[in-house]
Amino acid sequence: MVKIGFAIKTKLTTHNGGESQPHRDFEENFERFIKFRSEPDLNSFISPFDDMANRSHLGFPIHHLWICVFLLLSIHGHSFYLPGVAPQDFFKGDVLRVKVNKLASTKTQLPYSYYSVPYCRPQKIVDSAENLGEVLRGDRIENSPYEFQMLVPQMCNAVCRIVLNEKTAKEFKEKIDDEYRVNMILDNLPLVVPMTRMEKDSPIIYQHGFFVGRKVQYAGTKEEKYFINNHLTFTVKFHKDIQTDSARIVGFEVNAFSVKHQYDGQWSEKTRLTTCDAHAKRMVTSSDPPQEVEDKKEIIFTYDVDFQESDVKWASRWDTYLLMADDQVHWFSIVNSLMIVLFLSGMVAMIMLRTLYRDISKYNQLETQEEAQEETGWKLVHGDVFRPPPNSDLLCVYVGTGVQFFGMILIAMIFAVLGFLSPSNRGGLMTALLLLWVLMGIFGGYASARLYKTFKGTEWKTITLKTAFMFPGIAFAIFFVLNALIWGEKSSGAVPFGTMFALVFLWFGISVPLVFVGSYIGFKKPAMEDPVKTNKIPRQIPEQAWYMSSAFSILIGGILPFGAVFIELFFILTSIWLQQFYYIFGFLFIVFLILIVTCAEITIVLCYFQLCSEDYLWWWRSYLTSGSSALYLFLYTIFYFFTKLNITKPVSGILYFGYMLIASYAFFVLTGTIGFYACFWFTRLIYSSVKID
């Protein structure tokens, strides 16, 4: 019977990048479980859990949970690893194969495959199987001629020799001009360049990938020359298991140098270089003299490999990658923003509860007909408040789409918080979002049909088709145009035809049928009864003050929801456009909950003021009030583009604003739906709480 370890790792990162206590508990208990499988001694297995029970403040005996989990796995006979997170043990002499990924640049945002420039190639290029998310990100993972042997240091290994021509020299120069970086992977770890901060006692930060080269003024001349990084000094960090003498890779670093290699005689595979020589113990420690990129120049690519033992365990090897350069600012800003929003939300909720309680008490005490006729405020419009709005079909479609988005984001965040969508699973988040969007179609169809039936609609199939095609159709049209632009630049970020077909299949083959299923179920249910009857003749709306106009209240309503997320938005944009890892999903989940509360409360407050001024057209305004936060989001992305990014190519700018337009549109649908349902619940609640004659 094959026995495979169960290792679900919940990522709980502390502010200093270290391991959290639950994380260490899991590792220790997992190792204890493996020992128990080989030497079944129940007393020795259970007793160490008592210490964990003393540390637990969760209100239940967590050590019993651990025991049940591990014993259940033992009885079952086999268990599993999550894909992409299984540790691999290496012994001395085992072959380590380095894979190459895309060339990436923050200046152009256009990824290219590694072999799009004339780097050294293996005898046969083999593509690794990428998931849907990796393809959409532009990842192209392939094998490389860089191969090591575990725990066997190597010095000055020559990979290949090339002679540039005018075309290849131009290709390298273009990549150096655009500050492209080379990405490599070893044992699922991305290659990083350690960089020391200027501040004293500051931790080392890591840059993802090394630059293709650099353009500098050389030897006192005014002319700028291009130099390529052709010598790589790799450092493989490993954590050794003393009992089994095996090792696990916990770090993959590089220092890149530009070296004009020299040798005696004619070049052959056995030629020994004079600039670096393993036999003479001559190492490359600086870029002197550097290797220039010009037509007919000879370039020899070489590398060194060193192995360093590390105290970092395999389960914590991503912590150094996730340590952000401005982590203290990040945490302080997030907490500060959340505390302000929580305070404002609490104040709004308290005011609303007190005001509503007074109104309802006053209205219920009106006994005579004369008093009832003199009533003012929101009770006065009870005969019109549930009148279907103009373009009610479109409102149903947008509400259904918002429910679909809400379900997708909520479930994705829960999985991310639990550690299932960690950065080690490249493309996992993108893949999960696409699949969840497709599966949530059933809830989107249900919500749109349910609301449509409340408006006394009968053509539910028309609403279903609009729900299934409106938002995805607009987003896909923009995406298709952007993809065509990327294709024109011959970038690996262009989605291949096969992947495009897969996206269309997910849409038409799964999402659309699920929307129809949801709509069918929702339309078959009885319509929701309004708490008050609607008059046949609409009431005239009195002239409103300027501050109660639709445009003003809608624009004001979007400020608070945007304020709840704009700090976190900065880090999300940085992770997307400046190629950094985003990992604080716990805080993001809290921000998402605060966003929900804020959207709901600001919409309810403005809806209450609107009804008090005898304006009963609240349906669309409730949606647009919180949805207007998307306008501020898009304005912020414009500000971010001009202040934080160094994008110069027109195509790259179009890509940025195209994708940010899709993101802002999605944010509008999400926040608008939250505000609408909050106001929908609020109006039904207050009008069912008063006596209507």
Side-chain angles (χ1 to χ4, degrees), residues 45 55 133 217 260 320 350 371 380 422 444 485 613 620 646 659:
F45 176 68
R55 288 199 305 267
Q217 290 181 356
K260 186 178 181 181
T320 53
M350 186 173 66
E371 287 176 317
L380 194 61
S422 69
L485 292 174
S613 63
W620 271 109
N646 190 25
Y659 285 126

Side-chain angles (χ1 to χ4, degrees), residues 436-482:
L436 285 172
W437 164 262
V438 169
L439 296 175
M440 291 298 110
I442 190 169
F443 297 101
Y446 177 86
S448 62
R450 196 96 170 86
L451 184 62
Y452 182 65
K453 192 167 186 178
T454 303
F455 292 149
K456 307 297 188 293
T458 55
E459 300 294 330
W460 69 274
K461 293 180 182 178
T462 305
I463 289 295
T464 304
L465 284 172
K466 290 180 179 178
T467 305
F469 287 100
M470 179 167 286
F471 180 87
I474 294 172
F476 189 81
I478 298 173
F479 172 74
F480 188 82
V481 172
L482 296 178

Side-chain angles (χ1 to χ4, degrees), residues 392-393 395-406 440-455 463-464 467 514-515 517-523 525 528 673 676-677 680:
S392 58
D393 293 8
L395 180 63
C396 295
V397 170
Y398 272 107
V399 168
T401 305
V403 169
Q404 193 172 352
F405 255 113
F406 183 83
M440 291 298 110
I442 190 169
F443 297 101
Y446 177 86
S448 62
R450 196 96 170 86
L451 184 62
Y452 182 65
K453 192 167 186 178
T454 303
F455 292 149
I463 289 295
T464 304
T467 305
L514 285 177
V515 172
V517 170
S519 294
Y520 179 79
I521 296 172
F523 200 75
K525 282 187 168 291
M528 289 180 284
T673 300
F676 170 81
Y677 271 115
F680 184 71

